[in-house]
Structures are given as C-alpha cells and as structure tokens.
Amino acid sequence: MTKKSYYVTTPIYYVNDKPHIGHAYTTILADVLASYHRLLGTPTWFLTGTDEHGQKVQQAADKNGLTPQQQCDQTVVRFQELWKRLEITNDDFIRTTEERHKVIVQEVLQDLYDRDEIYRAEYEGWYCVGCERFFAEKDLVDGNCPECGRKVDAIVETNYFFRMSKYQEWLIDYIETHPEFIQPDFRANETLGFLKTKKLQDLCISRPKSRLAWGIELPFDKEFVTYVWFDALLNYISAIGYKRDDAKFNQWWPATHQLIGKDILTTHTVYWPTMLKAMNVPLPKTVFAHGWWLTGRTKMSKSLGNVVNPMEMVDRYGVDAFRYFLIAEMTLGQDASFTEEAFIRRYNSDLANDLGNLMSRTVNMLGRYCDGTFPALGSGALDGAPEQELWTAVQQAVVEMESSIGTMHLNGGLAAVLAAVRKVNQYFEIKQPWTQAKEGKTEAVGVTLALAAESLRVCAALLYPVMPEKMSALRAAFGLGKPELSQLRTFGVIKAGTVIGNPGILFPR
C-alpha cells in the first residue's frame, strides 16, 4: 500500500429503471475497498453516480409520461436512497446532467475537434438501442447485436467521429507493457484478442437531435448531441476537478481502481484509454472487471424475472449480512451464484454460529466471571502456547487481509478472518474458562477472556469495512470506537476496568 492516494470509481448507472443487485454489488465492492484503504491510513476518494443521457433514458421517460429530466430526477433518488441504506460512504455522487460535468464534456469535445481528432462523415450501419452502439454488419451475430443479442436497426445518417482507429497499435502495446491496466489478466487477453483480430473503427460520438434530443449538445454543431458513452466516461475526471482544480485532479488521478462489470469491458478498455490518449491525460492504473451474479447458472435479467432486489434482502436479513455475503461469496473476476439458500447457509455458518456466537459467549462470560468489567492483564498474558498460537492466528489474519486488498482477493481475506474467529472458539474449548472459574483460577479466567476479547477486537476491525454497523456494535461493547491501523498489531488495547456492554444477538439464526 505505497500509493500516496487511493481513488476508486464505480460505473455510473443508467436512470432508466430501479437499481438491482449488480448495481449494489459494484458499489458495495467500491465502498469496502475505500473503507479498507481508509483503515490503512491511505488518503481515499470514492466516486459513484448516475448516467442520465441517451436513448434508453429518453425511452423510459416517454414510457412513463415524463420529460427526460423528470425521469432522471425521480429515478436518481432510488440510487441515492439505496446507497444510504447499504451504508455506502462515497465521497462524491456525480450526475451527468450537472453543469460541472456538461461543461467539461463540451470543452473536451471542442479541443478534440479543433485538433482534428473529431471529424464529420456519413455513417451507414446497424444500431443497437439497448447498448447505444453502432455495429458493422460483419460483427452482428445471427443479425442481432453481438453484445446483448437484441435486434438492431439499419441507420444511414451524418455524424461526428472520433479518430479511435489511429490508436489501435498504441493501445495493444500499452496493454502488453502495462499488465496491471486491465484486471483480471484474462480480461486483458479478451481486449487484446479483440484488438488483434479486428480493425478498430472510428467511434461515432454524436447523435442527430432529429433522432435523439436528450444529451449534451456538441459545442461545434447545435444539431447534434453527444453519444452517451463519450459523455459518461468523462465523469471519472470531471468529478475530480479536470480543467478546473489542478491540485485536486493531480491528487486523485490516475484512478487506482475503476470497477466495472464485464459487460462494459470494451467501452472501458478501448474507448476510454483512446479518448484519454487523444486528450493527453494519463490512463487509470487499473480497470477491474468483475463477473456477473447468476441465479444458479443463469444470468439475472429483468426479462427472466430472476433479478434479486437488494432492498428486499436488506429488509429480510439486514444490511451487514447482505454486504458480507456479496463480498465473501464472489471471487473477484469470476461469476458467482446468488441463491437465498446459499445466503442463509453462509449467514448461519459464518455470522450466526461463528462470529455472533463467539461474541455472545465472550460478553456473557465476562459478565459472569469478571463482574462485567475487563480484567487487568499481567505482562505474561501471551506466554502460554495456546495464547501464542491464537494471537499468531489473529495477526496472520491481519497480514492476509491487507494482502488481499492489494491483490483484489477480498473473499480470501474474509476467509482468513473467519478462520481466526474459529480459532478463538477453539481456544475456549482448550482453556475452558467455565472450568477455570469453578476451580477458583481467577487470574487464568481473566487471561482467557481478555485474549478472546482482544482477538475479537482485531477481527471486528478487519470486518468493519464490510459490516460497519454490526462491527461498531461489537467494538462498542469493549469501549472502542472506529478501528485504527496502529491497533491491529497491538495487544492490550482494551483498557482494564472497561465496563463491558451487551450488543445483544448480532446475527439471529
């Protein structure tokens, strides 16, 4: 973790419908990464927002009897409310209809046009409304869109084009010499395969107002609006002061992690880097494409009626359990299956039985055997072999979690923390504080329970970015506030004499 700052972005989400689990997952993932970096003491900026222009938004507005702006204003609230409910700690929320974004898009367009990076020409081809993209006939699959499978429309019209094709060889070389740019590496191979087998076309970056009026007007031709993807991608820099606040922009850019779903790989690993190259702006350090959430082996989709509603899961099981499942269940980069059965199984095993039960046992025994206060510890509290073994396991969890953040293997980090939690439960079975108490070994009981509480304290700190509400309650029971990096490797942080609170059952079965 040597980078002087950490900047993480989510894609900005279309406001044509309510948010679903895909939106929730990417945003929770970004939030967890941001929170871990804050815990590690790294200056952090976390951006999310909404993509409010384009044909899909205009069609949704027409369907709902609204103006496009009304459609945006009504739908954006659903995202903002869900992010609050999911305890998302974004530093900024950008809407592409905001003036601060629109003026930057127009300035970028004007600059590229002035430097002949954008030109006017007639286009004849196939257009997919769902993807808001043009395709050559040779790229269609059975006459349909190669990306989403929907039917495409034949279109002939004059438009403006960005000279993307001139950057094809440069982009191939850049990806091959910067292996961290596209992650996981098999996604880089996907992009390289595309670039090496197809001639890159120039990118149509406009739509005539006669066909689509809802968009940012081209500064050099008022008869056209900007293609939604060209507009949307610029949010990552317009939000952090590009062309307006050099100090802020230079602090955060290049972005450390730009998180995306694998379905928007091409736009983020072909369109976006070539745009930045033409603008003379450095590329982000890493574009990370995660997999899809499936129901069994089937991709979730509205048409199949199998989309998980995040609000319903939160209402049923709680925010923290939902966040934990999403991070623990998916290996980043791979697809993962979401079923309520799998959710309940992991909830009962990891949260109710292991973590929640350990907290209840520790608090109850501190109340019963230590008069509800934290015992004083002598200098030899960690001298015993079982004590050393437990503390070593807890410290190993610290190491593995920190490593997992850098390698984007968060589920592995969580597994290490839960392994440490299970070690504490095993330690209780070895030491049997209930037997120690019966035998009048007051000091030994104090050591056993104090070490268990200290181990729980560290585990709660490591789990805090994933489950902030429940881990705050757990730490508050020991008189502690927000976790601090300096305390993760220190033994004896909980003060002797602290009155132990009772957070109740953290995770009811």
Side-chain angles (χ1 to χ4, degrees):
M1 299 300 156
T2 55
K3 191 177 188 296
K4 68 181 188 304
S5 62
Y6 181 76
Y7 177 34
V8 61
T9 67
T10 73
I12 50 174
Y13 306 117
Y14 271 130
V15 288
N16 61 325
D17 207 345
K18 63 186 178 184
H20 54 66
I21 191 172
H23 303 125
Y25 174 72
T26 314
T27 312
I28 289 170
L29 173 60
D31 184 67
V32 168
L33 287 166
S35 295
Y36 273 124
H37 281 87
R38 293 182 193 119
L39 176 61
L40 294 169
T42 307
T44 297
W45 197 258
F46 166 20
L47 174 70
T48 188
T50 43
D51 184 359
E52 303 193 357
H53 293 121
Q55 196 158 350
K56 282 194 278 191
V57 175
Q58 183 169 294
Q59 287 179 340
D62 292 343
K63 180 182 174 184
N64 296 325
L66 302 170
T67 67
Q69 189 63 59
Q70 287 172 330
Q71 171 71 28
C72 295
D73 293 343
Q74 286 190 18
T75 311
V76 72
V77 175
R78 296 177 180 177
F79 287 88
Q80 292 168 331
E81 287 178 347
L82 181 58
W83 296 168
K84 285 179 187 172
R85 188 76 189 281
L86 294 178
E87 300 176 358
I88 304 300
T89 59
N90 51 295
D91 296 285
D92 194 2
F93 186 102
I94 190 163
R95 301 178 59 185
T96 55
T97 51
E98 292 178 84
E99 196 62 27
R100 62 167 172 158
H101 175 73
K102 292 193 287 187
V103 295
I104 298 302
V105 172
Q106 290 186 317
E107 287 180 23
V108 168
L109 286 164
Q110 188 65 57
D111 174 60
L112 293 177
Y113 182 72
D114 291 345
R115 292 191 287 112
D116 196 36
E117 293 281 357
I118 291 174
Y119 64 94
R120 180 173 172 143
E122 188 172 87
Y123 179 83
E124 180 175 355
W126 299 92
Y127 183 70
C128 173
V129 173
C131 295
E132 304 207 23
R133 286 173 61 186
F134 286 104
F135 294 96
E137 186 156 4
K138 64 182 175 59
D139 295 328
L140 301 181
V141 177
D142 297 326
N144 294 325
C145 172
E147 296 290 331
C148 69
R150 296 182 182 95
K151 75 177 190 66
V152 289
D153 300 318
I155 286 181
V156 179
E157 63 186 18
T158 298
N159 265 309
Y160 286 87
F161 293 81
F162 164 54
R163 296 186 189 277
M164 188 165 68
S165 60
K166 72 187 255 191
Y167 296 106
Q168 185 163 6
E169 292 306 315
W170 164 81
L171 183 56
I172 290 170
D173 180 66
Y174 187 89
I175 295 169
E176 290 182 332
T177 56
H178 295 77
E180 75 284 358
F181 173 52
I182 305 172
Q183 288 291 322
D185 55 7
F186 59 87
R187 296 294 175 207
N189 294 336
E190 221 174 283
T191 299
L192 282 171
F194 167 78
L195 289 168
K196 289 180 175 181
T197 57
K198 294 183 180 180
K199 186 178 186 323
L200 196 59
Q201 302 298 309
D202 288 343
L203 180 65
C204 179
I205 57 93
S206 68
R207 299 292 183 264
K209 284 185 179 178
S210 58
R211 180 162 64 83
L212 173 66
W214 183 239
I216 298 174
E217 189 177 89
L218 294 189
F220 44 81
D221 193 331
K222 299 188 183 306
E223 297 304 311
F224 292 83
V225 295
T226 310
Y227 170 44
V228 66
W229 269 111
F230 194 96
D231 151 19
L233 289 163
L234 291 170
N235 91 89
Y236 302 129
I237 58 175
S238 67
I240 53 166
Y242 179 63
K243 288 181 171 283
R244 291 295 181 274
D245 185 340
D246 289 346
K248 182 178 180 181
F249 182 71
N250 291 331
Q251 179 181 6
W252 301 118
W253 194 261
T256 319
H257 281 127
Q258 298 216 259
L259 305 177
I260 62 168
K262 65 180 182 180
D263 51 326
I264 50 174
L265 184 70
T266 301
T267 50
H268 281 80
T269 61
V270 178
Y271 296 7
W272 183 220
T274 55
M275 286 165 59
L276 290 169
K277 176 66 174 172
M279 292 160 58
N280 298 312
V281 174
L283 271 58
K285 180 185 174 188
T286 300
V287 174
F288 195 101
H290 64 72
W292 285 331
W293 281 99
L294 311 175
T295 303
R297 295 183 180 178
T298 309
K299 185 193 174 190
M300 291 186 190
S301 76
K302 285 184 292 181
S303 59
L304 293 174
N306 63 350
V307 176
V308 173
N309 183 332
M311 285 286 204
E312 290 177 2
M313 294 300 295
V314 167
D315 289 342
R316 206 170 304 157
Y317 301 107
V319 174
D320 283 25
F322 180 66
R323 286 171 59 107
Y324 177 81
F325 178 83
L326 293 185
I327 301 302
E329 193 72 11
M330 181 179 273
T331 298
L332 270 170
Q334 305 293 332
D335 292 342
S337 179
F338 192 110
T339 65
E340 199 153 353
E341 294 77 16
F343 181 97
I344 292 169
R345 189 164 53 247
R346 186 178 281 278
Y347 175 97
N348 283 335
S349 170
D350 293 4
L351 302 182
N353 293 353
D354 291 337
L355 181 59
N357 184 46
L358 174 61
M359 180 62 186
S360 295
R361 293 176 82 187
T362 306
V363 166
N364 289 338
M365 284 191 281
L366 281 167
R368 188 177 306 139
Y369 305 133
C370 301
D371 297 323
T373 60
F374 197 76
L377 284 172
S379 57
L382 292 178
D383 286 351
E387 285 71 28
Q388 288 180 11
E389 186 180 337
L390 174 57
W391 190 248
T392 298
V394 170
Q395 289 305 298
Q396 184 60 31
V398 175
V399 171
E400 290 193 33
M401 180 52 88
E402 186 167 351
S403 171
S404 80
I405 299 160
T407 59
M408 297 291 275
H409 190 58
L410 295 181
N411 58 329
L414 289 184
V417 179
L418 265 291
V421 167
R422 286 187 280 272
K423 275 281 187 186
V424 186
N425 275 318
Q426 292 166 12
Y427 174 70
F428 273 155
E429 299 311 312
I430 293 168
K431 302 299 288 190
Q432 297 190 352
W434 46 91
T435 302
Q436 292 173 328
K438 278 182 187 176
E439 295 171 352
K441 298 176 179 176
T442 307
E443 189 175 328
V445 173
V447 169
T448 299
L449 295 179
L451 180 55
E454 280 286 298
S455 301
L456 253 177
R457 172 206 35 106
V458 175
C459 289
L462 296 175
L463 294 171
Y464 174 83
V466 180
M467 298 186 287
E469 182 185 299
K470 297 292 187 182
M471 294 307 99
S472 292
L474 190 159
R475 290 175 59 82
F478 299 131
L480 302 169
K482 276 190 175 183
E484 298 174 24
L485 175 64
S486 61
Q487 296 178 342
L488 291 176
R489 292 181 172 85
T490 304
F491 181 76
V493 170
I494 305 172
K495 293 179 180 174
T498 297
V499 176
I500 304 301
N502 191 341
I505 299 174
L506 289 177
F507 300 101
R509 280 184 63 85

